[in-house]
Amino acid sequence: MGGAEPAAAAGHPNGHANGGVAEKLDELRRQLGKADGDPLRIAGVGAGAWGSVFCALLQDAYGHLRDKVQVRIWRRPGRAVDRATAEHLFEVINAREDVLRRLIRRCAYLKYVEARLGDRTLYADEILRDGFCLNMVDTPLCPLKVVTNLQEAVWDADIVINGLPSTETREVFGEIGRYWKERITPPIIISLAKGIEASLDPVPRIITPTQMISNATGVPFENILYLGGPNIASEIYNKEYANARICGADKWRKPLAKFLRQPHFIVWDNSDLITHEVMGGLKNVYAIGAGMVAALTNESATSKSVYFALCTSEMIYITHLLEEEPEKLAGPLLADTYVTLLKGRNAWYGHKLAKGELTLEMGDSIKGKGTIQGVSAVDAFYELLSQDSLSVMHPDGDRSVAPVEMCPILKALYRILIKRELPPDSILQAIRDETMYDPRERIEMAQGHTLYRPSLLGQPGGVAKA
């Protein structure tokens, strides 16, 4: 399958002393009840940019302790690398002496020469073994152990990293659930997915990736966590200082935060899984609009700040429909929103749409970027919040309306991206409407404790924090 090269024994890329890293690993192994000689098995599922980087961070930090831990990643086989990407990949390799030497040492360089000449076809799983993610070829990673058989990848894993788009999570984990029927001890699952589904039957409700995973596998919810934060995958692997939060039940979030923490990647823990996971989906929705506004106004700081004020007020409004006391959109949660609006694939997508360099007919899976998860999230949130059964009082106080009527940007994005009845520049009308309420009023309505609809999370009596 192609193994990953261990980091140097005396000191490795993330700057840890070996003793500290070994101690963290031993501590987690004890908590999981691992016996000596039985390695901790970590399996990534899905090899997009963030999923690949996350596994590469773990491989860099712990991979040299091969008798104690194994890191592997699953991706589907058969995805060919096109000629243009192969040519660009060859340029990236030759621009980095360390990468060039590594490939020559592994006797892997010649195949990239042949692909550059058009004499050979490369495949995504093949280049991932050499440390190249198809969605992020400009950022070479460490070599990874890649498995193309899903059952082989996950059947005995102690920790599974969900790096799949939310739109694929249910299907893949449904298959994984069949492999785990005979397991005695459930694994720990860390979901990186940002997106939601909407279900309207029997009542309108939201389904998050962690809920999809629990429903599909039967793994108890206390063993499923969400990790998110203000980060861009390539920048994190290049050791830009970053932080994140791992959210979920007390049992595992603190041990995992400690295990995942690195000098340049600080991981905090938080109990409010739902707010963070929903915000992870919402920020992708509004990032598409942010990219449109930036393109249409020639990067006007004023227009972008107006958009930021309005979209964050809508996000606050929506989270208060879902939770009685959601965590405030502040600190790392606000920073996560900010960085996604500033520089992420969804913002990039909105920018390209507004410039006419992409069209909606091209779909939401874009070469070199992967799935634009904000598109499906726009559809899900709109469908959910347009239900009359969830009606809220209009600020005028004289009528009830569906919650989506209080979210003009979400409405505009739905009409642009899903219904395709408005051009991208109509997003500007959504933020310039003279009849629009001050975003402060929307926030005050949200915080008045009258919005909360516990049924939206499939919990008749509400959902408690983990």
Side-chain angles (χ1 to χ4, degrees):
M1 290 296 172
E5 292 180 347
H12 29 96
N14 290 320
H16 291 278
N18 271 355
V21 170
E23 288 169 5
K24 287 203 300 181
L25 177 57
D26 286 341
E27 183 177 346
L28 185 62
R29 284 173 52 83
R30 284 194 298 271
Q31 290 166 322
L32 284 164
K34 301 295 290 185
D36 290 343
D38 182 17
L40 176 69
R41 296 174 176 87
I42 302 174
V45 175
W50 186 211
S52 297
V53 163
F54 196 82
C55 288
L57 290 174
L58 293 174
Q59 177 65 34
D60 275 340
Y62 297 104
H64 63 292
L65 301 167
R66 287 195 281 183
D67 58 330
K68 294 185 176 183
V69 66
Q70 294 176 357
V71 180
R72 56 187 183 250
I73 186 168
W74 170 83
R75 75 152 294 139
R76 293 182 179 89
R79 175 77 180 274
V81 178
D82 63 47
R83 175 78 179 274
T85 303
E87 291 176 352
H88 181 57
L89 186 54
F90 186 73
E91 294 173 0
V92 171
I93 290 167
N94 285 286
R96 290 274 299 267
E97 184 176 334
D98 59 330
V99 177
L100 183 60
R101 288 184 180 279
R102 168 163 58 79
L103 291 175
I104 291 173
R105 189 169 62 249
R106 289 166 60 96
C107 301
Y109 181 65
L110 182 58
K111 66 186 178 186
Y112 293 95
V113 176
E114 294 173 340
R116 164 68 179 81
L117 296 172
D119 296 337
R120 188 189 195 286
T121 298
L122 294 170
Y123 292 92
D125 57 290
E126 175 185 22
I127 67 172
L128 188 60
R129 291 186 179 94
D130 294 327
F132 302 103
C133 172
L134 186 58
N135 292 345
M136 195 178 59
V137 294
D138 288 313
T139 305
L141 309 175
C142 64
L144 291 168
K145 179 176 175 59
V146 180
V147 180
T148 55
N149 180 289
L150 183 59
Q151 183 172 7
E152 180 185 346
V154 304
W155 74 275
D156 62 347
D158 301 296
I159 298 174
V160 174
I161 312 299
N162 175 32
L164 296 163
S166 58
T167 48
E168 298 178 22
T169 294
R170 181 190 301 280
E171 177 186 354
V172 174
F173 274 87
E175 185 175 347
I176 290 172
R178 293 195 288 275
Y179 306 144
W180 286 346
K181 285 184 184 293
E182 305 303 319
R183 282 189 69 137
I184 298 172
T185 305
I188 297 169
I189 300 170
I190 302 172
S191 179
L192 311 178
K194 299 175 174 69
I196 68 146
E197 287 183 359
S199 175
L200 304 181
D201 184 34
V203 295
R205 62 191 179 95
I206 199 171
I207 306 173
T208 67
T210 57
Q211 291 170 327
M212 296 177 204
I213 291 168
S214 182
N215 292 339
T217 62
V219 172
F221 212 67
E222 68 174 8
N223 277 42
I224 306 175
L225 303 99
Y226 166 75
L227 185 137
N231 44 59
I232 301 296
S234 61
E235 293 180 353
I236 288 179
Y237 198 75
N238 288 329
K239 297 180 178 59
E240 295 286 340
Y241 181 79
N243 52 55
R245 282 178 170 178
I246 189 162
C247 306
D250 288 340
K251 181 178 180 180
W252 292 118
R253 72 171 193 270
K254 289 184 182 296
L256 286 170
K258 185 174 182 179
F259 177 71
L260 297 173
R261 188 175 297 130
Q262 299 184 20
H264 69 285
F265 184 59
I266 303 304
V267 180
W268 297 309
D269 69 280
N270 191 280
S271 65
D272 195 349
L273 183 150
I274 293 297
T275 300
H276 285 77
E277 198 173 17
V278 170
M279 281 294 192
L282 273 176
K283 68 186 180 65
N284 286 336
V285 166
Y286 290 100
I288 297 176
M292 291 176 176
V293 170
L296 294 165
T297 63
N298 196 28
E299 302 292 337
S300 162
T302 301
S303 294
K304 289 193 287 187
S305 65
V306 169
Y307 180 85
F308 186 76
L310 294 169
C311 79
T312 50
S313 73
E314 289 191 16
M315 293 172 73
I316 292 168
Y317 186 86
I318 292 169
T319 55
H320 276 79
L321 284 162
L322 300 170
E323 277 208 271
E324 193 167 18
E325 293 287 350
E327 181 165 337
K328 291 182 179 179
L329 184 58
L333 204 55
L334 182 60
D336 191 10
T337 300
Y338 172 73
V339 76
T340 305
L341 269 59
L342 188 69
K343 183 182 179 183
R345 77 180 71 175
N346 291 276
W348 172 89
Y349 179 73
H351 197 283
K352 293 293 186 182
L353 279 180
K355 288 288 189 182
E357 297 171 16
L358 290 176
T359 65
L360 293 171
E361 286 69 26
M362 295 177 178
D364 59 2
S365 183
I366 306 298
K367 173 187 166 185
K369 291 291 182 179
T371 302
I372 309 300
Q373 297 191 84
V375 177
S376 63
V378 167
D379 193 16
F381 278 111
Y382 182 91
E383 289 296 328
L384 188 72
L385 301 179
S386 62
Q387 301 303 306
D388 290 335
S389 61
L390 302 173
S391 63
V392 297
M393 187 60 65
H394 192 273
D396 292 340
D398 59 353
R399 57 195 169 100
S400 294
V401 295
V404 77
E405 296 301 321
M406 300 306 302
C407 303
I409 294 175
L410 177 59
K411 285 179 63 179
L413 289 170
Y414 180 78
R415 295 182 68 188
I416 294 167
L417 299 171
I418 308 302
K419 300 297 287 185
R420 303 185 183 182
E421 61 188 26
L422 293 177
D425 62 6
S426 62
I427 193 70
L428 297 180
Q429 180 59 34
I431 68 172
R432 294 173 179 169
D433 187 349
E434 292 182 6
T435 64
M436 186 179 291
Y437 289 88
D438 184 333
R440 175 186 57 81
E441 295 184 29
R442 189 182 293 109
I443 293 172
E444 288 179 350
M445 287 177 61
Q447 295 173 340
H449 303 289
T450 60
L451 290 183
Y452 178 44
R453 302 290 188 274
S455 61
L456 279 172
L457 287 171
Q459 303 286 337
V463 61
K465 289 184 172 67

